[in-house]
Amino acid sequence: MGMRLFRRCFVSYGVAGHLGKALSLILWLAVPAHAEDDAAPVTVLALGDSLTQGYGLPPEDGLVPQLRHWLDERGIAAGIVNGGVSGDTTAGGAARVGWSLTPEVDAMMVALGGNDLLRGIDPEVSRANLDTILEEAAARDVEVLLVGMSAPGNYGADYKAAFDAIYPDLADKHGTLLAPDFFAGLGEGDPAELQRYFQPDGIHPNAEGVVRIVEGLGPHLAALIEAAK
């Protein structure tokens, strides 16, 4: 599946799960052992769908563990909570962000919108949901990195323009950091060549693809952590 087709249907498959009240325990486990030192690391909530959750991969190869590895290699102290829920839309994220932002969370990476695209949801609905998420973060004084998605051209020029504008517009409105494209790390090469970075479903990145995606997202995450200190 080429990148355009992938961008059209990179759905987060699976039954939507719930983090539940165990999130506080997860947060505690996600923070490195040296978190009790005077210079405690920043705790980041990664709010997303199956791309964040690590669908189809061994736990250590998913996005969040690989982001932790990227930070560790650079000596950046931070805990990252995997708040990815397979199948989630922006509406799902807006519904759970309030209880997901526990007192331990200092910053949040928001990577949602792919399933909205798959379902052809009105971009204004997606915009409103993401706006709700960012407003909740602002109310909690939580720094945010908003990760953009791009609509495929076959949805029509008007739909694509409306959807693609959501992320930079909201980042400007709320003063958040912006990673323009979740898949930037994969590059813009021949779609046939890019297939080697995906699982057999042609939708979710494989371990090598995640590593490349992390190379693209890592600097943005590092900036978020610095802003949250």
Side-chain angles (χ1 to χ4, degrees):
M1 181 183 296
M3 277 299 292
R4 289 184 181 177
L5 182 56
F6 171 76
R7 295 266 178 101
R8 182 168 72 249
C9 62
F10 72 98
V11 58
S12 302
Y13 285 108
V15 178
H18 297 283
L19 299 181
K21 293 183 179 179
L23 185 59
S24 293
L25 176 60
I26 295 172
L27 279 162
W28 180 80
L29 292 172
V31 178
H34 54 269
E36 296 180 1
D37 295 344
D38 290 337
V42 170
T43 297
V44 180
L45 170 66
L47 189 76
D49 49 34
S50 65
L51 295 172
T52 299
Q53 182 233 343
Y55 177 88
L57 295 170
E60 66 274 13
D61 290 335
L63 180 72
V64 170
Q66 286 302 313
L67 283 171
R68 290 189 192 119
H69 179 67
W70 190 94
L71 294 173
D72 287 345
E73 283 189 326
R74 289 155 181 80
I76 301 173
I80 309 179
V81 180
N82 191 339
V85 173
S86 193
D88 217 3
T89 61
T90 57
R96 63 188 172 93
V97 66
W99 56 260
S100 297
L101 288 174
T102 62
E104 296 89 347
V105 174
D106 305 298
M108 177 170 60
M109 181 179 80
V110 180
L112 287 165
N115 287 311
D116 295 49
L117 281 174
L118 178 77
R119 301 179 187 188
I121 292 173
D122 185 337
E124 290 308 306
V125 173
S126 301
R127 178 188 288 268
N129 291 330
L130 288 169
D131 196 35
T132 295
I133 291 171
L134 298 182
E135 286 178 348
E136 186 69 29
R140 308 286 186 96
D141 197 26
V142 170
E143 295 286 343
V144 174
L145 167 63
L146 184 61
V147 182
M149 304 283 176
S150 297
N154 65 303
Y155 276 67
D158 290 343
Y159 186 101
K160 179 172 175 57
F163 188 91
D164 290 0
I166 292 172
Y167 299 91
D169 285 356
L170 289 181
D172 183 63
K173 174 183 177 181
H174 292 276
T176 71
L177 296 172
L178 174 68
D181 186 354
F182 182 93
F183 301 102
L186 296 180
E188 296 293 335
D190 181 354
E193 288 294 320
L194 294 175
Q195 280 305 292
R196 60 182 171 146
Y197 301 125
F198 296 99
Q199 297 176 42
D201 63 9
I203 295 169
H204 297 90
N206 58 25
E208 186 179 359
V210 171
V211 169
R212 291 176 66 93
I213 289 170
V214 165
E215 287 298 319
L217 287 178
H220 296 286
L221 180 60
L224 173 67
I225 292 166
E226 184 62 30
K229 289 181 178 178

